[in-house]
Amino acid sequence: MLRTEVLKRRTSLRLANRTCIASFRGVTTAAAKKEGDISDSFVQLSGQSFKPLEPRFAEIKKKLIYGHEDALEAAWKRLLRTLREEVPLVASLGPEVIPQIDYVDIDRPSEHFTKEHKKRGVAVIRNVLSQREALELKSELRSYIRDNPHTKAFPQVNPQVYELYWSKSQIRARSHPNLLRTQRFLMSHWHSSNPEANISIDHPTAYADRVRMRQPGDAKFALSAHVDGGSCERWEANGYGLGRVYDAIFRGDWESYDPWEASCRLPVVSDLYQGAGACSVFRMYQGWLSMPHIGPGEGTLLVNPLLGLATSYYLLRPFFEAKRSAEALGPEFLEPSNWRLQREQDSWLHGATPGHGQELTAQLHPHLDLDHSMVHVPKVAPGDYVAWHCDTIHAVDKVHAGSTDSSVLYIPSCPLTELNARHMDRQRDTFMRGVPGPDFPGGEGEANHIGRLVTDDVAELSDAGGLRAFGLKAWDSTEPGLTQGQREVMDRSNKILGFYQ
């Protein structure tokens, strides 16, 4: 009798989900980007080199700091002295510097975790999914890849990163209640200076990202230090300048910069050049869900856990030059006294290239001492989730020196905003057609893949929260306890998604 009732409830839920999926109007067709793979997102991975940009960038730099030149030079010296103190500390702690918390404790995090997470910009959340569930996801994913050997991937021989977005494993993970709850917890560390801002950090939105299944010995998928969310846009008035996100840094007051302020990021345009893989949404965190056990050196993630300091450094670096070379001075090359504000700003934005991510190197960013300040995340188990702030410098092991696969599902944490709702509308269209998400290289994608899911399958796998995150069910703006800003963004998002006029 009990089993019969359970089956009835499940059937009722599935029918309700299918009804709500059928209720939205025709979707917005997304304009596809050119076909490619993950290497197209990075200058170094695609075999290109850094160079000065168009002359207009010299004028952009000059305008950014006009009237603050003296303050900026003093701030630069303070920053270099602080980095000289903090980098050795991070290097000595290694993976231990990364704050960790168990999923069962996210409703009552310790003060230590909260403080360290906001300082470091990185976290490991243990046991978000059970190990059994995570291993099932990996098994299903392997079967999907085996059944579809034509899947585009990088590199083409012995693939490590697959251009997959719509497998059952990915959709199951993105819509899992534990994962959505974890995203809400992480986004709760953000705040808005405008209490009525049209944003809800309590309502995650799904962002379809890739799959990594890196094999032992791989040295091809050697992503060097980089930052997601655009590159040149961080200095441009019609990019991050629309929200004046980094104004404190550019006026020489990096100490007052708040990386966790959300409302200033709502108007930002982070993909001015429509690059392959350029993120067009407000993504508070990038993250991944681990499917096997992965330890340091085993094809895993490295991060720079100096969030505010590192961000200030890579943004200010293009304005400064060394008086004398490293060859001439040796270790004294890095001394603050050897650096000065450029007398005439040039067009270099160190590591930034239109249409690509922000990249960092030891040569271009010497004071970060990347060989020591980039630390591995701690060893993770199947079902653990790793997340890092959208401004965080990160990389992957140059070589996978482990003995088993290093497989993860990339699943970022994105709040509900109008910008993100517009992306959901376009993303929903790409899902229905089986092609890559709007931010990623285009092409046929999974349109002809065996086993690709359709909307009814999502209804089978997801509860109401998962469907809403995916843009397949209307947001409930009558939900108790909402702010005016949350109600407003829900109503506007519902209109964007076609649930009502």
Side-chain angles (χ1 to χ4, degrees):
M1 184 69 178
L2 180 60
R3 177 177 173 79
T4 301
E5 289 301 316
V6 169
L7 290 173
K8 284 182 179 179
R9 284 197 295 271
R10 286 180 178 173
T11 302
S12 176
L13 176 62
R14 290 167 183 166
L15 290 173
N17 285 346
R18 289 172 181 170
T19 299
C20 79
I21 288 173
S23 68
F24 57 81
R25 58 154 172 74
V27 295
T28 300
T29 300
K33 295 184 178 181
K34 68 177 183 179
E35 197 166 352
D37 58 43
I38 193 170
S39 67
D40 298 307
S41 302
F42 301 96
V43 169
Q44 296 178 88
L45 199 60
S46 58
Q48 303 175 59
S49 59
F50 299 111
K51 56 187 178 182
L53 305 181
E54 300 171 50
R56 67 184 179 89
F57 284 98
E59 189 63 25
I60 287 172
K61 289 167 63 178
K62 183 178 178 181
K63 287 181 178 179
L64 266 180
I65 64 171
Y66 180 75
H68 304 294
E69 291 87 350
D70 291 343
L72 204 66
E73 192 138 28
W76 177 253
K77 288 180 169 56
R78 295 195 307 274
L79 180 59
L80 298 192
R81 287 193 291 268
T82 306
L83 283 170
R84 189 164 55 187
E85 295 172 358
E86 291 292 328
V87 169
L89 175 61
V90 164
S92 68
L93 291 172
E96 293 180 10
V97 77
I98 309 301
Q100 306 175 50
I101 188 171
D102 197 278
Y103 174 75
V104 298
D105 296 323
I106 61 175
D107 286 336
R108 49 184 186 282
S110 68
E111 290 184 13
H112 176 74
F113 172 87
T114 301
K115 179 181 177 181
E116 284 300 297
H117 176 54
K118 297 195 77 169
K119 180 177 181 179
R120 304 302 177 192
V122 190
V124 176
I125 299 88
R126 303 287 188 186
N127 303 306
V128 174
L129 270 63
S130 70
Q131 292 198 19
R132 177 187 57 79
E133 286 179 290
L135 292 172
E136 282 179 1
L137 295 178
K138 186 170 73 167
S139 178
E140 288 177 351
L141 191 57
R142 280 178 166 166
S143 296
Y144 188 61
I145 292 170
R146 184 176 60 250
D147 291 342
N148 298 282
H150 56 289
T151 299
K152 183 174 283 294
F154 174 85
Q156 293 182 12
V157 178
N158 191 23
Q160 310 295 317
V161 179
Y162 292 86
E163 297 294 316
L164 292 176
Y165 306 88
W166 311 122
S167 70
K168 181 178 180 181
S169 296
Q170 289 166 291
I171 291 174
R172 277 182 63 190
R174 289 177 200 137
S175 61
H176 197 291
N178 290 15
L179 202 292
L180 295 173
R181 183 166 170 246
T182 298
Q183 292 172 327
R184 284 192 290 272
F185 163 67
L186 288 165
M187 293 192 294
S188 72
H189 292 86
W190 288 71
H191 63 92
S192 293
S193 58
N194 175 8
E196 300 305 319
N198 288 343
I199 181 174
S200 180
I201 58 177
D202 297 323
H203 299 89
T205 60
Y207 183 89
D209 210 330
R210 298 180 172 98
V211 171
R212 183 184 84 208
M213 299 195 83
R214 198 175 185 195
Q215 302 303 315
D218 173 64
K220 294 289 187 181
F221 184 58
L223 275 184
S224 57
H226 66 281
V227 184
D228 298 326
S231 59
C232 302
E233 291 89 346
R234 285 183 163 84
W235 290 269
E236 295 190 74
N238 57 340
Y240 283 75
L242 291 171
R244 307 181 71 176
V245 175
Y246 304 119
D247 274 14
I249 295 172
F250 293 132
R251 67 170 180 262
D253 186 21
W254 56 265
E255 293 93 338
S256 69
Y257 166 63
D258 182 2
W260 302 98
E261 210 293 302
S263 56
C264 67
R265 296 186 186 242
L266 296 182
V268 163
V269 177
S270 59
D271 63 337
L272 288 172
Y273 304 96
Q274 296 293 299
C279 183
S280 66
V281 306
F282 180 10
R283 189 167 67 182
M284 288 182 161
Y285 295 86
Q286 177 58 296
W288 49 247
L289 181 74
S290 179
M291 293 183 288
H293 294 272
I294 313 171
E298 298 177 350
T300 194
L301 179 74
L302 295 94
V303 294
N304 185 302
L306 296 169
L307 177 59
L309 293 176
T311 302
S312 299
Y313 180 83
Y314 65 71
L315 290 174
L316 292 180
R317 172 66 182 91
F319 299 95
F320 291 86
E321 63 185 4
K323 298 175 185 177
R324 299 180 64 190
S325 69
E327 291 77 12
L329 288 181
E332 294 182 5
F333 170 73
L334 297 177
E335 288 296 318
S337 59
N338 187 47
W339 290 77
R340 66 185 174 200
L341 194 68
Q342 288 182 343
R343 292 168 182 170
E344 287 293 331
Q345 291 296 324
D346 60 26
S347 63
W348 270 96
L349 289 178
H350 296 65
T353 305
H356 294 75
Q358 172 66 42
E359 299 181 57
L360 298 98
T361 70
Q363 181 180 8
L364 295 177
H365 305 89
H367 297 92
L368 288 179
D369 191 7
L370 295 170
D371 286 342
H372 296 100
S373 65
M374 298 294 292
V375 301
H376 286 103
V377 297
K379 185 172 183 176
V380 293
D384 290 345
Y385 183 69
V386 180
W388 56 99
H389 185 283
C390 53
D391 286 343
T392 296
I393 304 170
H394 56 288
V396 298
D397 279 318
K398 292 181 180 179
V399 178
H400 179 353
S403 57
T404 59
D405 66 280
S406 175
S407 300
V408 303
L409 301 176
Y410 289 103
I411 306 176
S413 297
C414 307
L416 180 62
T417 69
E418 285 188 67
L419 175 69
N420 290 0
R422 295 186 190 284
H423 178 270
M424 290 165 68
D425 188 35
R426 300 192 304 274
Q427 180 177 262
R428 186 176 58 188
D429 167 57
T430 62
F431 163 68
M432 291 179 172
R433 292 188 289 123
V435 298
D439 284 348
F440 295 91
E444 180 183 283
E446 296 159 73
N448 296 309
H449 272 40
I450 298 169
R452 176 173 67 86
L453 300 194
V454 296
T455 50
D456 280 354
D457 297 317
V458 180
E460 297 273 350
L461 295 171
S462 306
D463 63 10
L467 290 171
R468 288 187 173 114
F470 206 54
L472 295 174
K473 183 178 176 66
W475 300 97
D476 181 8
S477 61
T478 66
E479 183 182 317
L482 298 176
T483 66
Q484 181 59 38
Q486 287 178 310
R487 285 193 293 271
E488 184 71 22
V489 75
M490 283 180 166
D491 286 337
R492 292 186 184 184
S493 297
N494 283 336
K495 289 180 182 179
I496 291 167
L497 292 165
F499 289 110
Y500 53 79
Q501 299 300 316

